[in-house]
Amino acid sequence: MMRKRGKFRLLDQIARVSETLRRPEFVAFMPAITLAGFWWGGERVLIATALGLPMVYALLGAVRMAPATAVTDGRDGLTGLELRDSFVAMLDASLLRTDGRVTNSACLVLRLDEADRIAERHGHAARNEMLRRTAERLAGALRESDRLARLDGASFAVALAPSRRADLESMVQLSARLQDAVAAPISLDGTRVFVTASVGYALSGRVAARTGALLLEAAETAADDALRNGPGAIRSYAPETHRTQSDRSAFRSVIETALDTGQIVAHFQPQLCTDTGAVSGFEALARWQHPTRGILPPSEFITELEAAGLSERLGEVMLFQALSALSRWDSEGLDVPLVGINFSREELRNPRLVDKLKWELDRFAIVPERIAVEVLETVVADADNDTIVRNIAALAELGCGIDLDDFGTGHASITNIRRFTVRRIKIDRSFVTHVDQDREQQAIVSAILSMAERLGLDTLAEGVETPAEHAMLAQLGCGHVQGFGLARPMPLDDTFDWMRRHGAALAPAPQFGQRMG
Ligand code: C2E
Ligand code: CA
Ligand code: CA
């Protein structure tokens, strides 16, 4: 599987030596070496060193510039793994040896969840190192008879030997095992990087025709589905995952009906104040209560919904449910200061947005201060659209809080933060993960917090999954927290009990180092 490793290691070592020799401190010694040559061996050595050294550097430069991902002998130059074409040919051959009943075959595709972010933060050499190490770990976790290949980007494919009886249960177990294998932190440039993978798999019995290309395509469709639901999601291929153009338009009319018939509902996820532990709000998150498929998250429908021009309808449904929830909490005597509502770019383009919101607030007799308008940082960053700018300003003017969502992913300028009178920033989940263990995460979060403090902005960290992350964020001075570690988004009816239990158990934020109970 990895027979070319030795050769690649040698290339690697040459590249590393070349990297070291090209560092400025070595280059600074060049004149001294040339002079030493003259002192030691006279003019000939002087000329040889003066001409020879630049040549050596030029050659080393060539080594360094050789593409790290070059294809060598039909294999991936970076990982030594086989590539798509030979993998598909191998799948074809292996499918011929299965009968689809007693013997079955399967293909898995792993997509690394945050490869682009790692490349952005640590550089391409680090990304390559991560891919190389992941390939080694995957190879180590598989059986001799299984085959591993590298796909484009940060993806890998696994083919299971046909003799093995693959069923859904064993595939989930294998997917989880492969996720565990890649999960251990990797040291890159002195910082620890946590790699997670989303996995999709397809059983040969579930694809329309038993060809390698179709089986791999099915596993890739499932992996894309997993990636949308990630990090660390596992999805199996079902023929209905694969939508054609005509399926899509049918899907749109289905979702329109879903909006009209109350199948799209808000689930609510609590946000806590780190000082007091009290509930400081709930975020309303859309869910589709699908008649046959169960509860679906927005990743399953929001793209189609937006493409069908239904964003405004979704906004109306969510606003109505969020305001109803505030009324219910009030009448139950529960103290919920505000509810966060996600406003899409499309909704913010609607010139009637503010009037509609005012009208609804009046209808429910709720003050605007109890609405947190969540706007993505990316929308604020490139808001050159007049209506969007005016709408956000008018919402702030009205008294609604403006929460800058997914902060850290969108490059909003300080001018924009000021211009939109942002009240709070929601630190993106990618900076919160492992903040208790990872120095670099701490440095980023601290920098965001001190910037927020100077600008007089409140802060909320999202995606808090463990008490240790919660405690570290409290220690760093983050104002509010939200995440699975506190509670998952839940139907309105479940929030009442949750609030009462939370109120009863209200205790100071957990101390750093305490394990999750
Ligand atoms: P978002 O606004 O960033 O919402 C937070 C997402 O993170 C939610 O996913 C939530 O379930 C998830 N989450 C919360 N805590 C954790 C955690 O500890 N770990 C992890 N891994 N995830 C956590 P959800 O509900 O699937 O929503 C995804 C996105 O869909 C939202 O991201 C938002 O951009 C969009 N969305 C949701 N509801 C609406 C809506 O009513 N209108 C619009 N326009 N967009 C919505
Ligand atoms: Ca949000
Ligand atoms: Ca967010």
Side-chain angles (χ1 to χ4, degrees):
M1 205 172 336
M2 300 187 63
R3 70 190 150 89
K4 291 270 154 72
R5 293 288 315 156
K7 191 171 156 191
F8 295 124
R9 271 204 190 113
L10 179 66
L11 270 176
D12 251 18
Q13 272 157 6
I14 296 176
R16 250 177 233 148
V17 170
S18 105
E19 196 75 47
T20 313
L21 286 179
R22 289 165 60 96
R23 289 163 73 152
E25 51 277 31
F26 279 93
V27 179
F29 273 106
M30 260 173 78
I33 296 170
T34 315
L35 272 177
F38 178 59
W39 180 75
W40 176 65
E43 273 171 16
R44 284 195 184 166
V45 178
L46 170 71
I47 291 167
T49 349
L51 289 175
L53 273 177
M55 267 169 75
V56 168
Y57 274 84
L59 284 172
L60 288 176
V63 170
R64 198 176 87 125
M65 285 167 71
T69 50
V71 173
T72 314
D73 199 9
R75 288 184 166 252
D76 174 35
L78 180 68
T79 59
L81 296 177
E82 67 183 318
L83 291 165
R84 182 182 290 270
D85 286 351
S86 59
F87 183 77
V88 167
M90 180 278 302
L91 271 180
D92 274 332
S94 113
L95 282 169
L96 287 177
R97 286 182 278 133
T98 63
D99 61 14
R101 279 174 289 110
V102 182
T103 50
N104 206 348
S105 183
C107 176
L108 287 93
V109 169
L110 280 97
R111 301 214 194 279
L112 301 190
D113 288 309
E114 291 186 331
D116 290 343
R117 188 171 69 90
I118 287 170
E120 232 169 64
R121 278 173 65 180
H122 303 276
H124 276 274
R127 178 183 185 273
N128 286 347
E129 179 63 16
M130 174 186 74
L131 290 173
R132 222 178 350 235
R133 299 279 293 279
T134 304
E136 280 171 3
R137 287 172 173 184
L138 289 173
L142 291 168
R143 295 177 177 193
E144 272 299 302
S145 49
D146 299 332
R147 297 278 286 265
L148 177 63
R150 161 119 192 256
L151 302 178
D152 325 315
S155 296
F156 297 90
V158 175
L160 295 195
S163 56
R164 181 166 162 170
R165 170 100 213 236
D167 58 20
L168 289 177
E169 184 56 34
S170 65
M171 294 307 289
V172 172
Q173 280 168 9
L174 175 63
S175 304
R177 207 173 76 226
L178 295 177
Q179 286 179 326
D180 283 349
V182 303
I186 293 178
S187 193
L188 296 177
D189 283 341
T191 41
R192 291 198 303 163
V193 171
F194 296 85
V195 180
T196 59
S198 290
V199 186
Y201 61 85
L203 296 169
S204 56
R206 304 219 68 186
V207 289
R210 291 156 60 76
T211 71
L214 274 183
L215 186 57
L216 176 59
E217 193 187 314
E220 288 193 280
T221 305
D224 289 338
D225 195 19
L227 199 63
R228 282 195 296 274
N229 290 280
I234 300 173
R235 289 287 182 278
S236 71
Y237 171 76
E240 56 273 20
T241 321
H242 216 124
R243 291 188 197 115
T244 62
Q245 202 52 44
S246 68
D247 289 341
R248 280 209 183 102
S249 49
F251 186 79
R252 282 176 198 171
S253 83
V254 172
I255 202 160
E256 194 160 10
T257 315
L259 275 166
D260 292 341
T261 55
Q263 288 176 20
I264 305 290
V265 297
H267 277 202
F268 296 90
Q269 188 177 32
Q271 302 164 335
L272 302 186
C273 169
T274 46
D275 274 347
T276 62
V279 171
S280 46
F282 275 91
E283 178 176 2
L285 293 155
R287 297 289 179 267
W288 182 0
Q289 283 180 334
H290 194 280
T292 55
R293 293 173 64 200
I295 293 176
L296 304 178
S299 53
E300 296 274 327
F301 60 88
I302 211 143
T303 315
E304 268 94 353
L305 184 146
E306 284 177 354
L310 294 169
S311 303
E312 211 183 313
R313 271 294 287 133
L314 174 68
E316 287 166 5
V317 166
M318 295 299 289
L319 176 66
F320 179 83
Q321 298 200 26
L323 294 174
S324 309
L326 281 174
S327 300
R328 284 282 304 278
W329 288 318
D330 291 350
S331 62
E332 298 274 334
L334 296 165
D335 181 20
V336 178
L338 55 84
V339 65
I341 306 176
N342 293 285
F343 282 70
S344 68
R345 192 187 289 267
E346 267 322 302
E347 283 175 83
L348 290 166
R349 284 209 180 106
N350 177 3
R352 292 183 43 248
L353 176 75
V354 181
D355 285 341
K356 265 176 34 182
L357 181 77
K358 266 194 213 154
W359 196 82
E360 288 290 341
L361 286 168
D362 281 349
R363 182 150 78 110
F364 280 89
I366 283 172
V367 293
E369 286 72 16
R370 295 184 74 190
I371 302 295
V373 172
E374 296 204 6
V375 186
L376 288 173
E377 192 197 8
T378 42
V379 173
V380 164
D382 53 36
D384 47 7
N385 178 297
D386 261 3
T387 322
I388 295 186
V389 176
R390 258 190 279 120
N391 268 339
I392 299 177
L395 289 166
E397 180 78 11
L398 187 66
C400 299
I402 308 293
D403 278 6
L404 209 49
D405 206 353
D406 294 359
F407 186 81
T409 62
H411 312 290
S413 65
I414 292 185
T415 320
N416 270 351
I417 292 177
R418 284 239 177 275
R419 179 162 149 231
F420 292 113
T421 42
V422 169
R423 186 195 54 183
R424 181 164 71 169
I425 53 183
K426 292 190 77 170
I427 304 172
D428 189 61
R429 181 165 55 79
S430 58
F431 303 110
V432 170
T433 310
H434 300 299
V435 71
D436 54 314
Q437 303 163 34
D438 186 327
R439 285 263 174 84
E440 202 178 332
Q441 296 286 78
Q442 279 162 30
I444 295 172
V445 171
S446 298
I448 296 176
L449 292 174
S450 71
M451 180 211 71
E453 194 181 357
R454 284 200 200 123
L455 295 175
L457 303 172
D458 207 352
T459 46
L460 185 154
E462 56 183 359
V464 179
E465 293 189 347
T466 67
E469 287 169 355
H470 180 172
M472 176 53 80
L473 289 158
Q475 196 175 311
L476 293 174
C478 183
H480 307 262
V481 281
Q482 174 183 351
F484 292 170
L486 312 161
R488 287 187 175 251
M490 58 189 110
L492 177 64
D493 284 344
D494 294 357
T495 60
F496 307 118
D497 262 358
W498 186 90
M499 286 279 292
R500 291 193 183 102
R501 281 199 311 274
H502 178 74
L506 199 58
Q511 292 306 299
F512 182 58
Q514 187 180 327
R515 294 310 312 152
M516 195 149 64

